[in-house]
């Protein structure tokens, strides 16, 4: 019951929205000329939603600033790649290779979770920006190892990365090849869309359930005041570690899906800039608010793709010739957009009610708002 | 040739540049508690403007000795970066002073992206060679060698550091800066124009950054639009290592980081029996940072920080 209560109140809207999500890839591939590249961007956007929701637990709920989050995405991706590509075939026993898809995902989640705890444990004493720089350091360390662990034992194949990653297959279907159902031709990019959508929905549900759980409230308590939380009997060490572990698990699942979608991974995909992008998704959308974070992830990941197609024709129309490199112009506009959005809405595009009330007390009495929230929390918690 | 001494010298050269940049981070952090992510790009722009200026002068057959050309280039670059530092603070940080603390961090990242891309538009994607105007005689020194350029880098850094410390410790403006760092509200009550002081802090940090950028470019003989990111990251690490917000800490952290890196890249292979090569020098630097922070959670010289997020 709890779950249904925490979903949007209007069930009809929800069902219509789900239907829209199901037909969305068909609308895109028939509506645009470069449909399949947009579809790929859509797949990536779903992956980024998962990443942003994972980071949202660490930064948004628990208030731990993490600059190395992409490391867990990388760990998930590399774990999946090593298990599902010929790269380590000579070294690993054959029963370890090519596990069923679901098993692969679970393994990736567990490995990422262990990494999350390993990297979280030494940072428990650190606060604020010191925590940020240490997590940044861990992110860099993971990336440097991935780039250099091709010697003395070739584990990660260095900067070339790992290719020939097997696409997921279950129930006898191979997601790497087109499948025909009911006269409809499902391209791999469609199939991956549904696969990732499924996991994305799963992670959204887990996020919502966590938010209203005892653990979720403990995270928020730590974010607001760690000492007070400790005094209230929250085991801050374990709860912080759980935040890192949970966030890392989401990242690991997302990374595994990324590896299976791409069929190829290299350390290039896991640079610091990616961590920063995921962080800006969380903050731009509205920290700690699930719909906001989802919106942020979609906007930040799709905007550069849309700009890619819009910039050059626009430049041609306005100036008549290619003045600046469209790639550069697109990133310039993207950066400027980030600044403007933050200046106009410092609390994020779609902040939670509580946060908005904290920051814009003039709109409605904070006390009143807090009371609403409390009632909401109680209603959701039976 | 004494390898150990050589690594120490290289470390000091790189470390003194890190220290200059780290001061820019730490001064801003001391007053606003904000990581000025765009500082690395300021360093890059300082180097690029100087190179462009020197090339322009050489292209117009201005026959001046190398150091004078460099000084002219810097005289152009420093005002440019100071203006940029001022504008960044005015546009991207000042409106967000009362906002949640991650908001200015995101605008800082946005500014960093904008500056980097603008630099790519102006100067292109390729590496720019640093014009060969500086003498590069090699001085033998106790079995190790050091170029006159490297000596000049260390000397210039020391002069700038002493100048900055005198400015902050001995002048009225410096006192106002220290007061603002301690408590902006009380400083305002005492008649300090806090907004001006913050602008000034950004401008001084940017000027130091421009000089540091030129020194880096001269040391490696090249500069490019992406150089700011990595060097900014290193300098920020140095500032945290020393204890962010603490000027002495930034200098100590910068020099330590330079030494750790160069000794790490020189000896890591021997230490681990060839298992880890010099490509792991960055890991070495970060590991030292993490170890230091585990035992001293607010850096070598920093004070205990309050919890914020």
């Amino acid at each position: 019951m709890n779950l249904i209560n925490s979903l949007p109140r209007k069930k009809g809207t929800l069902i219509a929205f789900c239907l829209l999500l199901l037909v969305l890839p068909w609308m895109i591939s028939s509506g645009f000329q470069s449909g399949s590249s947009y579809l790929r961007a859509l797949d990536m956007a779903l992956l980024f939603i998962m990443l942003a929701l994972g980071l949202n637990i660490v930064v948004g709920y628990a208030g731990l600033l993490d600059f190395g989050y992409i490391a867990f995405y990388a760990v998930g991706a590399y774990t999946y790649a090593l298990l599902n590509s010929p790269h380590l075939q000579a070294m690993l026993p054959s029963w370890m290779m090519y596990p069923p898809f679901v098993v692969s995902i679970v393994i990736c989640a567990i490995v990422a979770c262990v990494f999350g705890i390993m990297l979280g444990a030494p940072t428990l004493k650190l606060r604020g920006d010191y925590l940020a720089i240490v997590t940044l350091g861990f992110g860099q360390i993971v990336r440097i190892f991935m780039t250099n662990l091709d010697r003395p034992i070739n584990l990660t194949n260095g900067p070339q990365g790992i290719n020939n990653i097997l696409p997921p297959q279950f129930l006898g279907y191979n997601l790497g090849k087109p499948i025909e159902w009911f006269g409809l031709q499902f391209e791999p990019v469609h199939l991956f869309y549904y696969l990732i959508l499924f996991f994305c929905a799963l992670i959204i549900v887990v996020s919502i359930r966590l938010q209203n759980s005892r653990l979720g409230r403990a995270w928020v308590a730590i974010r607001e005041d760690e000492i007070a939380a400790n005094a209230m009997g929250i085991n801050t060490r374990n709860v912080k570690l759980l935040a890192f572990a949970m966030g890392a698990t989401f990242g690991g699942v997302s990374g595994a899906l990324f590896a299976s979608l791409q069929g190829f991974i290299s350390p290039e995909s896991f640079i610091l800039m990616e961590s920063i992008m995921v962080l800006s998704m969380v903050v731009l959308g509205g920290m700690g608010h699930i719909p906001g974070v989802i919106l942020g992830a979609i906007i930040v990941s799709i905007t550069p793709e849309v700009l890619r197609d819009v910039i050059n024709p626009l430049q041609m129309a306005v100036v008549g010739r290619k003045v600046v490199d469209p790639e550069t112009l697109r990133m310039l506009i993207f950066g400027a957009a980030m600044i403007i959005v933050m200046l106009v809405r410092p609390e994020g595009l779609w902040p939670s009610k509580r946060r908005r009330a904290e920051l814009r007390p003039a709109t409605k009495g904070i006390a009143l708002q807090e009371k609403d929230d409390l009632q909401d929390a109680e209603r959701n918690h039976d | 040739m004494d390898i150990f001494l050589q690594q120490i010298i290289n470390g000091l050269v790189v470390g003194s540049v890190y220290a200059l940049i780290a001061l820019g981070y730490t001064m801003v952090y001391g007053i606003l508690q904000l990581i000025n992510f765009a500082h690395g790009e300021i360093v890059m722009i300082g180097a690029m403007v100087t190179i462009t200026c020197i090339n322009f002068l050489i292209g117009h057959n201005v026959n001046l000795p190398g150091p004078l050309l460099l000084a002219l280039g810097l005289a152009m670059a420093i005002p440019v970066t100071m203006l940029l530092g001022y504008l960044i603070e005015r546009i991207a940080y000042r409106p967000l002073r009362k906002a949640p603390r991650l908001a200015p961090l995101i605008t800082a990242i946005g500014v960093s992206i904008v500056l980097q891309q603008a630099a790519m538009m102006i100067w292109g994607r390729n590496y720019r060679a640093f014009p060969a105007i500086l003498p590069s005689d090699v001085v033998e020194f106790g079995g190790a060698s050091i170029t006159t350029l490297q000596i000049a880098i260390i000397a210039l850094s020391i002069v700038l550091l002493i100048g900055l410390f005198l400015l902050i410790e001995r002048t009225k403006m410096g006192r106002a800066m220290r007061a603002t760092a301690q408590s902006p509200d009380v400083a305002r009550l005492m008649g300090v124009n806090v907004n001006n002081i913050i602008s000034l802090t950004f401008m001084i940090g940017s000027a130091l950054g421009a000089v540091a950028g030129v020194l880096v470019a001269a040391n490696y003989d090249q500069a490019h639009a992406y150089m700011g990111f990595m060097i900014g990251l290193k300098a920020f690490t140095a500032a945290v290592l020393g204890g962010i917000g603490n000027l002495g800490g930034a200098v100590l952290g910068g020099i330590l980081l330079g030494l750790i890196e160069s000794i790490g890249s020189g000896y890591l292979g021997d230490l681990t029996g060839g298992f880890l090569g010099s490509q792991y020098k960055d890991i070495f630097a970060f590991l030292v940072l993490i170890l230091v922070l585990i035992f001293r959670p607010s850096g070598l010289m920093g004070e205990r920080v309050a919890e914020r997020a």
Side-chain angles (χ1 to χ4, degrees), chain A residues 59 62-65 67 122-123 125-134 136-138 140-145 148-153 222-227 272-273 276-277 279-281 283-284 287 324-325 327-336 338-340 342-343 346-347 355 359, chain B residues 29 33-35 37 91-93 95-96 98-111 113-118 120-121 125 229-230 233 236-237 239-241 243-245 274-276 279-280 282-283 286-287 289-290 293-299 302-309:
Chain A
V59 180
L64 306 163
L65 187 51
F67 270 132
T123 65
K125 274 202 295 183
L126 301 174
R127 304 214 156 154
D129 298 311
Y130 290 96
L131 177 68
I133 187 79
V134 168
L136 187 154
F138 277 133
Q140 294 297 96
I141 288 174
V142 168
R143 188 185 57 81
I144 294 171
F145 268 115
N148 291 304
L149 268 188
D150 47 349
R151 284 162 292 150
I153 316 160
I222 286 186
R223 178 186 74 198
E224 296 298 329
D225 190 332
E226 190 169 339
I227 296 166
L272 176 61
M273 203 58 208
I276 291 177
M277 280 299 140
L279 184 67
S280 50
M281 289 169 188
V283 180
L284 275 178
M287 256 192 355
V324 290
D325 181 14
E327 190 71 9
T328 312
L329 189 59
R330 142 183 114 92
M331 284 313 287
L332 186 87
I333 292 176
F334 178 66
M338 265 169 92
I339 302 173
I340 293 166
M342 237 35 285
L343 288 179
E347 71 275 29
R355 209 168 159 74
L359 294 164
Chain B
Y29 192 92
Q33 281 80 45
L34 162 78
I35 305 172
F37 253 98
I91 295 170
Y93 302 149
L96 293 175
K98 297 264 183 272
R101 63 175 231 96
L102 282 186
L105 190 72
I106 300 298
T107 54
I109 293 164
V111 169
I113 294 177
V114 167
L115 289 181
Q116 202 175 69
Q117 301 302 324
M120 298 243 301
M121 279 185 191
R125 287 173 182 276
F229 186 71
M230 202 57 207
L233 191 61
F236 176 58
T237 308
V240 175
L241 184 64
I244 194 155
F275 180 70
L276 300 174
Q279 70 268 34
Y280 287 100
D282 287 348
I283 286 194
F286 279 121
L287 277 183
L289 173 80
I290 290 164
L293 288 186
I294 285 172
F295 292 107
R296 284 194 61 86
S298 25
E303 289 147 30
R304 228 185 98 74
V305 282
E307 181 188 3
R308 295 179 304 103

